[in-house]
Amino acid sequence: MASAETLVPRPRPLALRRRSSPLLRGLLVGVLALLGLGTLPPSTALADEDSDAPGLTAPASFRVAPYGGKPRPDRQKHLLISYDRGVPRGKGNGSTLTMDVTGSSDVLRLKQYGKGCSGTDRKVVCRVGEAYDSWTDWAGARPRAAPASKPGDKGELHVSFRNAEGEVSRATTRIEVGGPLLALRKQGTIRMGSGKEHAVALGVRNTGELPADGFAVTATVSEALRPVRRSRSCDYLSRGDATTVTCRFSGVRLEPGEEAHVADWLVLGASRSGMYGSYRATATLLGRGADNGGLDGSSRSTAEPSPSGTARRGTDAALDPQVGKARGGREEYSEEKDVWTKARIANHPDYALFSKISAAGDDGRRLRVGVRNNGPGDPRGGNKGTSLVLTLPEGTEVRKEPMEEIDEDAFEPICRHKGLTYTCPLDTASPGDSSALDFEVRGSKGEGAGSGKAKAALRIGDTEADHADPDTANNTRTVDLFGPVPAEPDSGPGTGVVVAWVLGGCVVLAGAGVLVRRKLYRR
């Protein structure tokens, strides 16, 4: 088989593209939304007053797990310490980082990690470069609870950085053993009728060791799910194809093991075309011990710029959380920073395969085959997608097949194939739109017209009843590849040209009429 060349480079569908990074985009949107709605980032302890020079930053406060107790979530295990005075990272190794909990050894100890460090579980000294970052530089120590400590105990971590010039910068981080920890009750997949409303309950549980004095829940709701009830307990910010809802419950106190329950936290209205929706929820502490000081989730930056737009407070009835004993087992809650809930909306697509044959050089054929969505259901946002299975007749030579650009001037085939059967992902077609692929083929020498027929079939990933195609008869198609090529329409004057001629003629006639009237008037 001859090597395939590019016909029309096209991107692989989002759900199947191997090199796309939806996770990174989703995390960035979430960070921007939280900051834009007033959820404060962890406060930062700058250099202490007795520092010789600025440049050292560390959290003002931090929490560690109780000795022998339940570990903190991964997002709360990292203590971010940095030193930066404009020197390129990695330059030199003449600086010294010192971490010291000697004055709080009954509450705190240190666990050394990385290279170039020495010391005890109370004081660690590391030789580092002229610029330092505890997240990227593999050298430092992590605070942890001392064996005799208990939840609620507090201590101090003293950090100092001496650069190559002998200048010293100092910072202090206040550390508490244990603390409140919020977990959101998982919802499972929501199923909604087209255009119908659905009330979503909220469950927030304190799985930590200390009370939580107030909390906020932020939900980023996709376009297919519109918040139809806007409570005065919440702020609403619509931006692009999503709405961010932040509800604050500053007067609600949750003791360890207790849960706050709101029966109708979100009332969502389903789209009349979208088939898939989702929302991402995050619970954050308010009041006492609101920040952990370390990294927030998977983002190491706590100073992202705020997005444009102004959140508006709702005007409907306030939400009324009911506090009591947790309503389910621990497995029914998630301590993850982002808790996703998916929704399925009963809107149906109506797929139909189509094809077109045209002549190519050297007795070849150009084949365009694709799918059109004639139904009201919009499958964008789903993760199963649709694909084309094309089986070419025996002896067919594939000259060109669909390609995608994977790098500058670098391409690879979109389709997988086994022999002459090609399986190709198709771009998701919204209602009224289509998605097509182009091939160029030629029959084997000596084969006459009408000697081979191709078979095309649509493979649909989501076949559940609420998204089922109502007419599957047009999801397969037989194509006579090497028969007579259908005649192209005559290339005479198009409608636009005819209209232009007619309008031009009218103008000429109108002008002639004006001249004749003027002549008669002068007589």
Side-chain angles (χ1 to χ4, degrees):
M1 182 179 293
S3 61
E5 303 172 15
T6 304
L7 276 178
V8 179
R10 62 188 288 278
R12 193 183 298 271
L14 182 62
L16 298 169
R17 194 177 300 162
R18 292 193 293 269
R19 294 173 176 81
S20 61
S21 301
L23 179 60
L24 294 179
R25 292 194 296 271
L27 290 172
L28 178 59
V29 169
V31 171
L32 292 177
L34 287 175
L35 292 171
L37 288 166
T39 302
L40 297 177
S43 56
T44 301
L46 302 177
D48 290 343
E49 291 182 0
D50 60 345
S51 296
D52 297 331
L56 179 65
T57 59
S61 62
F62 193 71
R63 296 186 183 278
V64 295
Y67 183 81
K70 185 184 72 171
R72 307 295 289 181
D74 287 342
R75 68 178 184 275
Q76 296 186 10
K77 291 180 180 179
H78 305 286
L79 180 71
L80 181 58
I81 299 172
S82 64
Y83 181 85
D84 186 1
R85 294 191 65 190
V87 179
R89 185 169 302 281
K91 182 178 180 181
N93 198 34
S95 300
T96 301
L97 172 73
T98 302
M99 303 179 70
D100 190 351
V101 295
T102 302
S104 303
S105 59
D106 56 335
V107 176
L108 300 173
R109 299 296 171 87
L110 294 174
K111 184 176 182 180
Q112 176 183 316
Y113 68 90
K115 299 179 180 179
C117 299
S118 61
T120 67
D121 62 355
R122 292 165 174 81
K123 184 176 182 179
V124 173
V125 179
C126 303
R127 296 187 62 82
V128 295
E130 290 298 280
Y132 173 79
D133 187 317
S134 61
W135 181 256
T136 57
D137 295 321
W138 187 239
R142 296 189 183 95
R144 59 180 181 175
S149 66
K150 60 184 182 299
D153 288 348
K154 299 179 179 66
E156 290 186 345
L157 167 66
H158 299 284
V159 184
S160 65
F161 192 97
R162 180 186 295 273
N163 63 22
E165 286 73 36
E167 299 172 324
V168 179
S169 183
R170 299 178 177 85
T172 300
T173 298
R174 297 179 299 278
I175 298 179
E176 185 173 15
V177 176
L181 184 60
L182 301 181
L184 286 170
R185 190 177 181 89
K186 295 182 243 184
Q187 297 289 339
T189 300
I190 299 172
R191 294 182 179 269
M192 305 174 67
S194 179
K196 301 296 183 180
E197 294 182 3
H198 182 87
V200 179
L202 171 67
V204 180
R205 178 176 179 174
N206 182 4
T207 61
E209 303 82 17
L210 298 175
D213 292 316
F215 62 91
V217 180
T218 297
T220 303
V221 184
S222 70
E223 184 179 21
L225 303 175
R226 178 176 53 89
V228 295
R229 199 274 316 275
R230 303 204 166 201
S231 168
R232 60 175 177 266
S233 301
C234 311
D235 292 331
Y236 299 81
L237 175 62
S238 295
R239 185 175 55 251
D241 58 356
T243 300
T244 301
V245 183
T246 297
C247 304
R248 295 177 179 84
F249 306 96
S250 57
V252 178
R253 180 181 175 90
L254 290 177
E255 297 290 340
E258 287 187 334
E259 176 183 353
H261 179 80
V262 181
D264 53 354
W265 165 50
L266 293 176
V267 179
L268 303 175
S271 168
R272 293 190 179 276
S273 59
M275 296 164 55
Y276 305 95
S278 65
Y279 67 85
R280 181 182 71 249
T282 301
T284 53
L285 290 164
L286 299 175
R288 174 183 174 274
D291 67 66
N292 188 53
L295 303 185
D296 187 14
S298 298
S299 170
R300 57 179 308 276
S301 172
T302 58
E304 299 285 355
S306 297
S308 59
T310 302
R312 298 185 180 277
R313 179 62 53 90
T315 57
D316 293 335
L319 300 177
D320 183 22
Q322 300 297 310
V323 177
K325 185 178 179 181
R327 300 189 176 199
R330 285 185 175 269
E331 69 280 357
E332 297 180 39
Y333 300 82
S334 173
E335 295 177 351
E336 294 294 323
K337 175 179 178 286
D338 295 316
V339 180
W340 288 86
T341 298
K342 296 180 180 180
R344 293 177 62 91
I345 305 171
N347 291 312
H348 299 260
D350 184 4
Y351 298 119
L353 276 174
F354 67 88
S355 62
K356 180 182 178 181
I357 300 289
S358 59
D362 196 18
D363 296 327
R365 297 287 188 270
R366 291 189 183 91
L367 169 63
R368 164 163 285 200
V369 59
V371 63
R372 181 181 298 107
N373 183 0
N374 297 321
D378 189 343
R380 289 178 298 178
N383 57 7
K384 294 186 178 180
T386 58
S387 57
L388 169 72
V389 179
L390 176 66
T391 302
L392 299 171
E394 198 67 35
T396 301
E397 174 191 355
V398 179
R399 291 173 168 182
K400 296 180 181 179
E401 66 177 282
M403 309 286 280
E404 69 169 341
E405 188 171 9
I406 59 172
D407 203 345
E408 188 174 356
D409 298 326
F411 299 86
E412 72 175 13
I414 288 175
C415 309
R416 295 178 292 104
H417 74 93
K418 184 176 182 180
L420 290 172
T421 297
Y422 286 73
T423 302
C424 315
L426 290 166
D427 284 334
T428 302
S430 56
D433 289 342
S434 61
S435 174
L437 301 170
D438 294 306
F439 293 80
E440 186 174 313
V441 298
R442 185 178 67 173
S444 297
K445 292 182 179 180
E447 296 205 12
S451 61
K453 293 185 177 181
K455 295 181 180 179
L458 188 63
R459 182 179 292 169
I460 303 172
D462 186 354
T463 58
E464 291 191 40
D466 57 347
H467 290 162
D469 187 340
D471 179 14
T472 59
N474 53 10
N475 291 351
T476 58
R477 192 175 184 87
T478 300
V479 183
D480 190 353
L481 271 182
F482 304 111
V485 177
E488 295 289 341
D490 293 337
S491 57
T495 303
V497 177
V498 172
V499 170
W501 286 351
V502 171
L503 291 176
C506 291
V507 170
V508 171
L509 291 174
V514 170
L515 290 176
V516 169
R517 284 198 298 272
R518 284 180 179 176
K519 275 190 173 185
L520 292 173
Y521 178 76
R522 287 172 183 170
R523 289 180 182 177

